[in-house]
Each structure stands twice: as structure tokens, then as C-alpha cells.
Amino acid sequence: QMCIRDRFERAIPLLEAAAAQEPGRPEAHSMLGEVLFLSGDLEGAARSLYLAVDAGGDDPLVLNNLAWIELQRGRAPEALGLIERALESNPVPLYPYLDTRARVLKVLGRNGEALQDALTARKIVPEHDTRMISQLEDLIRELEKEAPGPRSY
């Protein structure tokens, strides 16, 4: 049985070739970025996803994924710009994007706004998405601990 790492290692050159063949199309850049991210190459993932954005404009999913990567690379201001751009298109479902923005705002020290986004996301997340519910509830608890007293909203 082929392990997942081997699959990534086989997929990467194929996606690189596809992206090089049609550099103006965002799909191969986007898929390559996702595979590089999953294989742990944040720099390569960011490079590919920026190329996808340049080629295809404002796919909210690509912008959201890029915001996550920038957050992990220690570039929270860039991450905020990207997630704000993603939210401008009113993506559906909305809650994963609010979750991303809440986490970016938390890193930026804007806990009141982060809590607002996390609470809104928690209200609209479907009950079957137990993983997201649990992650949001953990985030809300952390934010409430860090921001005692009156809320900023």
C-alpha cells in the first residue's frame, strides 16, 4: 500500500508540469499549493497559491488557504488582507472563513473582534461538523479567558 507521503511526492512533479504548461490557469497552481501544504512545504505552498490568485483572481477558498499558510509563516497582517478579500465574495458556507479571520485577529491581538467572529461562526456551523464545533468552542474559551470584563462589541 502506497503511503500518503509517496502519493504527494508523485503528485508534485505532475502538478508542477501542469502549472508550467498553463501558467495562466489557477487550477494547477491551486492544487499544487494544497499538496505542497499537506506535505509540509509552506514556502512552496504559498508561492503556488499566490500564483493561483494572480492567475485566477479571488477564489475565496484559495484566499482562505493562503491566509492560513501566511498565519503559520508568521505573516498575520498579510493573512488578514487575504481573508478579508475572501470574505468580500460572501463565500458559502461562511463559517470556515469567519473561523480563519477569528484566528488571524487573535494573533494580531484584536481579541474582541476575534471573539465576535468565533461566536458568529459557532452559531451558524452545522451540528454535524463536530470537529469545527469543537475547534470553535476551544477558541471561544481561549478568547474569553484573554478578554475578561466587558466585551468590545
Side-chain angles (χ1 to χ4, degrees), residues 59-71:
D59 178 336
L61 187 58
V62 173
L63 291 166
N64 185 62
N65 292 345
L66 194 45
W68 264 106
I69 290 169
E70 290 296 38
L71 194 58

Side-chain angles (χ1 to χ4, degrees), residues 126-144:
E127 289 306 309
H128 65 79
D129 194 345
T130 53
R131 189 166 154 254
M132 178 62 91
I133 288 170
S134 156
Q135 290 172 349
L136 280 165
E137 288 177 350
D138 289 347
L139 177 60
I140 289 164
R141 270 192 299 276
E142 281 172 43
L143 288 164
E144 285 176 337

Side-chain angles (χ1 to χ4, degrees), residues 5-147:
R5 182 163 298 289
D6 292 338
R7 288 191 182 165
F8 286 150
E9 284 175 15
R10 286 181 53 193
I12 289 168
L14 297 172
L15 290 168
E16 285 172 339
Q21 200 169 2
E22 295 196 58
R25 294 199 51 193
E27 296 86 355
H29 296 297
S30 178
M31 279 190 275
L32 177 59
E34 305 243 349
V35 171
L36 289 169
F37 173 70
L38 293 170
S39 71
D41 179 359
L42 293 183
E43 300 299 315
R47 204 168 33 250
S48 288
L49 291 178
Y50 274 115
L51 287 169
V53 170
D54 291 345
D58 289 345
D59 178 336
L61 187 58
V62 173
L63 291 166
N64 185 62
N65 292 345
L66 194 45
W68 264 106
I69 290 169
E70 290 296 38
L71 194 58
Q72 290 179 26
R73 292 170 77 202
R75 296 166 49 107
E78 289 83 353
L80 183 60
L82 292 160
I83 193 59
E84 293 287 357
R85 249 172 96 184
L87 282 161
E88 282 169 17
S89 68
N90 296 312
V92 177
L94 184 61
Y95 65 90
Y97 299 88
L98 292 175
D99 172 64
T100 300
R101 186 169 66 183
R103 291 169 193 283
V104 172
L105 289 166
K106 179 178 185 274
V107 169
L108 291 170
R110 292 164 61 179
N111 287 0
E113 293 164 89
L115 183 57
Q116 209 170 359
D117 274 353
L119 289 168
T120 302
R122 176 60 191 95
K123 262 184 231 148
I124 61 178
V125 65
E127 289 306 309
H128 65 79
D129 194 345
T130 53
R131 189 166 154 254
M132 178 62 91
I133 288 170
S134 156
Q135 290 172 349
L136 280 165
E137 288 177 350
D138 289 347
L139 177 60
I140 289 164
R141 270 192 299 276
E142 281 172 43
L143 288 164
E144 285 176 337
K145 241 187 296 183
E146 290 173 22

